Structure formats: C-alpha cells, structure tokens
Amino acid sequence: MTERTPRTVLLRGGAVYSPADPFATAMLVEGGHVAWVGSDGAAEAYAATADEIVELDGALVTPAFVDAHVHATATGLALTGLDLTGSPSLAAALAAVTAFVEARTEPGGVLIGHGWDETGWPEGRPPTLAELDAAARGAALYLSRTDVHSALATTALRTLTEGLAEAPGFDPEGPLTKDAHHAVRQTALARLTPEQRRRAQRATLARAAELGIGALHECAGPEISSEADLAALLALAAEGEGPEVFGYWGESGGVETARRLGAVGAGGDLFVDGALGSHTACLHAPYEDAEHTGTAYLTSEQVADHVAACTEAGLQAGFHAIGDAAVAAVLDGVRAAGARVGADRVRALRHRVEHAEALDDKAVAAFAELGLTASVQPAFDAAWGGPEGMYVHRLGAERAAALNPFAALLRAGVPLAFGSDAPVTPLDPWGTVRAAAFHRTLDHRISVRAAFTAHTRGGWRAIGRDQDGVLVPGAVASYAIWAAGDLVVQAPDSRVAGWSTDPRSGTPGLPDLTPGHPLPTCLRTVVRGRTVYQR
C-alpha cells in the first residue's frame, strides 16, 4: 500500500547507516526529506509531534539501493512467465517449455521466455530447431539466452520475422545472434499487448521494492525494447507506486529521441559489442573455444560522433562494451570526441560504459582520465567467474582472471555504479554487494562499504545527483529498513577491517555478507517519504 500524503515519521531503536552520525539509532523524516539523525535519547524531543513512530527493534536503516542497469519489461516477463535460469539440463529446459506452452490461457500470440545457458548442461549444447518446435507444440516462442545477446526462436516465430534468413547472425537450426537476434526479438516484443507490458513492468517494480531498491536505471533502445516500452515504463513509475525510474535511450545519434522520451541519457545499451557467453563480445585475441574475436557493432569513429553530439547537447552518453576491443573502441572514441568539442566538457558529463568487463591497467587509467563512469554488474563474476566458470571456457584462465577489476577501478578514482542487468542476473542488491566484496579473483575484491556505496550513492552520482543516496539532514528520504543481524566491517585487507571496527574510527557497520550467511530481509522500502513496500 502506498502513502500519498507527506507525513512526519520518527524511526528509533535501531541502527541508522549515516555519515552524519556513525552511531545513530534514530532518524526523523519530514515529507520527502531526512530532517535529523541521532540518538534515541535526543529523538524523544520529536516523538510528541510525529505522525508516525516506527519502533525499529534493532533493525538497520540504510539508503535505498539503486539498480543502475535493468530491462524492466524483460525482467517482469521472466518473473511472471517462463524463466529457464538454473535449468540443470537441456532436457529439463525443453520440459519447462512444454509445460509453459500447455499452461497458457490465451491461445495464439507470441510466447516469451528467458534464461537458458548451455554452458552448464550435461548435453553441452542448446536445442536444435526441431527439438524446440516439438517442445513448443508449434507455438511462436522467443527464448533469450541468459546474457540476452542470442536467442532461440521457433519456426512459427521465424516465419513472422520478415527478412530473417538474410540477416547477419542467422542460423537455420540453432541460436540467432547479431541482427537476426534483434529482428526476432522485435517481432516478439511488438506482439505484446499494452496490458501484458504493464503487468510485466509492474512485476519488476514490485519485486524491486520488496528488495529495498528505491530507483532503477532502465536501459532501453531500439535494439533492446522500443520507444513505446520506455514511455510506458516512465509513465507507470510516475504514478508513484514504486521505485523511481530513470530512462536511458541507447541509439546512435538518438539525442532528440532521448529528450522526447524524457530519458536522462542517450546511452545504456548502445551496443559496441555483444556478450562473452554468446561469443559476441569483441576481443583483441580469439576466443579460447572459438576461432574468431566476436562482433563489433560500432567503430571508434561512430563512438566519437555520438559522444560529441551528446556533449554538445549537454546530455550524458553511454555504451555497452564488454570485450577488450570494444572497450578500446569506446576509449578511443571518447578521447577523439574530447579533442573535437573539449576534453573538460566531455569529462563533466560523466559518460557511462555499461559492463566494462575486460579492462587492463591502461584502460582503467583511461577511464579516470576521461571522467567515465563504470556501470558494472558484480553478479556476472559470481555467476560466470571462478576456475570452472563460463569465463574460463570462453577466454582461458589468464584472461578470465582479469575480468571485472573493481579494486583497480576504485584505486584509480573511477566512479562505480552497480546494477544487475536484470533479467541477465536477478534483482538482488545485497547479493550484488556480496559478489563485489567476495569477488572470485582476490585482487579485484573491494570492501563491503565501498560496494554498498556503489550500489546506493553510486547510482545517483551516475545521473549527476551527487547529493542523493545518503541519509543526512536535507537528503531525499529514500531508504530501506532491514532485519540484518549483527553489523560488522568487512574489507579485503584484514588490517583495514580491524581498524574500522575500533569505535574510535567512527565507521558504521553493515550486515555480515560472508558467503553462506543469510542476506538481510527487507522490512520496508520508502521512496521520497512514501512507503512503497512493507513486509
């Protein structure tokens, strides 16, 4: 239930994560802003006039999370429909497809699912077209791979997609990539009804609120969704029933479209390359398990044109870049744009790079030099890192171990904004913080505090709102209340962690995120003073 009338709320008897007072146990909210933080004793002065008193009973209050990279409609479709994430085998995935098709209540139309990943299946391969058609009972079905950079499509859906056989990335029997994938995805999404879209988007916003997420960055674009999809999501969010949504429109030269749609930037999933799992991330050297280097969608010259146009318009640009060759193209393009329109002007807009996985020391230094924001997904490492993970199969151990160097980025002063890329990995903010703090490569680990900051304040900084994402007087009252257990200070360096737990350091604690420990449970999520979720 959502509250619409601003009120004065006093929270007391817990722990408030605030730089204004590292020992705070109480907080006062007036309307949509934090009015005060301090001790329970001092809070008594506000108790008589508060419209509501929340007895925390030891719970933790933190800023609400910001998920800096999501695809709301696709996430909602996975939440409410066919989600093959975690399917243990090809046979199990095909059985799930059949059950989904047979359970549908409305015949006809296009069915949409997500999440298959052949790298963990004993069969070691995706289904053939004949196997998929049989499982789908002849229905028109689109199934995106877990990375959403390739997909399976039944014959019925392929037949609906004009010119598919001539499109780059077409395979008559197997998964579709490149332009062929974009074409079948557009065919599938175009057949969603407005009600189906709204239901999916509402499911995503509701799930985010349940997880203490107060804001989302929607990464839309003509190759990932549609103008209508982004417009509908922003309109839904404006109703104020859930988290805030900030839209990005990822289209080369799409400055005017981004402005017309009310997007905060012309970026997000503006593809410079694809993804490692689908062998479409663009690399300098060939894949370990394929005799090619992936796919390049944009050149450095095209990147420069887009960054220059966005900078001239005062609008943030952004790019999807995963492989080292794609990252190099972005860096060369941004540097060239700076030479064209002014390096200081380019740096001031904090243009974004989404994912930014394959970075060496030179690339990290260039991020800092060019003022770029790294919008990254620690859950990728949790899902695909490690000695037996997909990264090793695609790149070999040495290159795989270099991916997602969060510690190096922080040391260089590069701003980090954490997200999920849902539905690629699920909405899971505390799991994301844990993944960064317990990175599978030890040298890339960062402290829980730094990871938490990247997933809260970092998301606000990424859109130029440096004052938000922190609980201090005057700040926006977007916060979450957690059942969290004991609070600790966790850092990769035990000396730092030991010093930080000394009361004299004034370092506030956060939940123990050691793998195996239960993650905090959200009790309430508040966005600008409005309760959007209550357990």
Side-chain angles (χ1 to χ4, degrees), residues 119 145 147 149 273-283 287 289 320 322-324 357-358 380 384 390-391 394-395 399-400 403-404:
T119 59
R145 192 182 182 279
D147 57 19
H149 283 270
D273 68 344
L276 292 166
S278 291
H279 292 99
T280 52
C282 191
L283 308 174
Y287 281 87
D289 59 350
H320 163 119
I322 287 179
D324 52 2
E357 292 199 78
F380 287 5
W384 302 314
M390 179 270 288
Y391 287 156
R394 293 291 186 265
L395 302 178
R399 282 191 292 174
L403 295 177
N404 302 301

Side-chain angles (χ1 to χ4, degrees), residues 448-477:
V448 167
R449 186 182 185 192
F452 180 79
T453 298
H455 214 347
T456 51
R457 200 168 191 181
W460 291 110
R461 286 172 171 167
I463 59 172
R465 300 262 291 272
D466 291 4
Q467 72 280 11
D468 291 335
V470 61
L471 299 180
V472 297
V476 168

